[in-house]
Amino acid sequence: MSTRALALRVVVVSGLATAVGLLVAPAASSLSTPDPAAARGLAALVTQPPRLASAALPADFPRRFGYEPAVTDGLLGDPSGDCSSPVPLPPEFTAACRQHDLGYDLLRYAGRSGHALPPVARRAVDDRLRTELAASCSVRQDAVGLATCRAWAEIAHGFVRLNSVRQGDVAPEAESPLTVAPAVAAGVALAGGVGLATGRRTAGRAPRRTSGGAR
């Protein structure tokens, strides 16, 4: 399967998953006046370099969330964060996932203060994740590895957006396993589809290539 066909397949599957998410999404709650400190911090996180983003965070954020945001591979984020996924993701994604975790904690910061940020804030954090996931794939030198990484980047972002839409793009909080199960199942299905597609493509190239491939 060509890279173009693979990319098209990812877009189609992700689109279907997002549509499913829309069908099961709860109604978003009414919003109060957004927390100005969290709003400034989140805006800086998704638009500014780490130094400026760090300076824009709410002063009491480390005390309330129990960690001091740190820089990983040029991105500010939760130093102990990771890519919460039902399947393993490329190691290149770690820094982007940590930044995304920090963004979600800023959403929680505002929500727990009774001044939740509007849905566009969560969408901005998710969009930044997509950008950084794709950028992280640039370290891959071989065509198959690069295509595989980019496919996983689209799948990871698609899964995140599916969950955000399902939750109404409000501040993410703990949910019961029964509530989360449909989204996890969709994520596994998406991962399986891309894994099958990339596997076939790699197999098709095997007679002409004996080294390289996806990590």
Side-chain angles (χ1 to χ4, degrees):
M1 181 179 291
S2 68
T3 301
R4 182 176 180 180
L6 173 59
L8 178 61
R9 180 170 180 171
V10 171
V11 170
V12 171
V13 175
S14 298
L16 290 174
T18 301
V20 172
L22 284 169
L23 293 176
V24 299
S29 60
S30 59
L31 299 175
S32 60
T33 303
D35 185 290
R40 285 193 300 270
L42 190 143
L45 181 68
V46 300
T47 63
Q48 301 296 322
R51 179 180 59 82
L52 296 179
S54 180
L57 296 178
D60 61 344
F61 179 88
R63 176 181 60 79
R64 288 180 55 179
F65 282 82
Y67 70 89
E68 188 76 42
V71 177
T72 301
D73 294 336
L75 299 178
L76 184 68
D78 177 356
S80 62
D82 58 21
C83 298
S84 301
S85 169
V87 293
L89 293 175
E92 293 93 337
F93 292 178
T94 297
C97 289
R98 290 180 175 180
Q99 183 187 60
H100 189 259
D101 286 349
L102 174 56
Y104 271 23
D105 279 342
L106 286 168
L107 294 172
R108 296 183 185 103
Y109 176 101
R112 294 172 188 177
S113 300
H115 299 279
L117 301 183
V120 67
R122 184 163 176 174
R123 292 195 291 271
V125 176
D126 290 348
D127 288 347
R128 181 61 186 264
L129 175 68
R130 183 182 192 179
T131 298
E132 296 299 344
L133 289 178
S136 72
C137 293
S138 62
V139 299
R140 299 207 174 189
Q141 301 300 314
D142 63 291
V144 174
L146 181 60
T148 301
C149 185
R150 286 175 174 171
W152 279 114
E154 288 299 318
I155 284 299
H157 175 260
F159 175 74
V160 165
R161 281 306 301 151
L162 184 155
N163 197 50
S164 292
V165 171
R166 183 183 61 81
Q167 294 178 338
D169 278 318
V170 298
E173 293 292 354
E175 296 182 285
S176 70
L178 288 178
T179 304
V180 177
V184 172
V188 172
L190 286 171
V194 169
L196 178 62
T198 54
R200 285 176 175 172
R201 183 169 185 265
T202 303
R205 292 174 60 94
R208 302 188 303 274
R209 185 168 185 161
T210 57
S211 63
R215 288 193 289 173

